Amino acid sequence: MEALSGDNASRRALNETVVCEAHNCMPVILPPSAWTAWLGEEEASPPDELVGLMRPYPADQTRLWLVHRDVGNMRNDRADLIEPVNPA
């Protein structure tokens, strides 16, 4: 995995701050160009290429909004769950 230094460390810290405000873990967010390699639809060459995909997503490209608490229950599968809600 890429060492964190300089700009990359700052980007990770900012990204973790943004994401951790909403969630207690750090997801891997991939650009569409990486989806086929990540999902195994194409061979990653070298295999370590997949590890290289796990890097902080640019905070300036991240958007956050509150969603309904029903999102936390995997039995719920409705399109409206991703719609923004106003805090009560």
Side-chain angles (χ1 to χ4, degrees):
M1 183 180 271
E2 171 181 17
L4 295 177
S5 63
D7 185 50
N8 192 37
S10 299
R11 187 172 41 165
R12 178 177 177 174
L14 179 58
N15 187 266
E16 287 177 350
T17 300
V18 169
V19 173
C20 290
E21 287 180 17
H23 205 278
N24 63 354
C25 64
M26 184 69 174
V28 175
I29 304 172
L30 301 173
S33 60
W35 294 354
T36 56
W38 185 261
L39 296 173
E41 296 171 359
E42 68 180 39
E43 186 173 330
S45 180
D48 288 346
E49 177 184 330
L50 295 176
V51 173
L53 295 175
M54 295 188 296
R55 65 185 63 185
Y57 198 76
D60 64 340
Q61 295 179 28
T62 304
R63 295 182 308 151
L64 300 175
W65 59 89
L66 292 174
V67 293
H68 195 276
R69 69 182 193 162
D70 285 354
V71 169
N73 185 330
M74 62 188 224
R75 290 178 288 180
N76 297 320
D77 187 18
R78 305 184 320 261
D80 68 300
L81 293 176
I82 64 169
E83 297 298 321
V85 298
N86 292 322

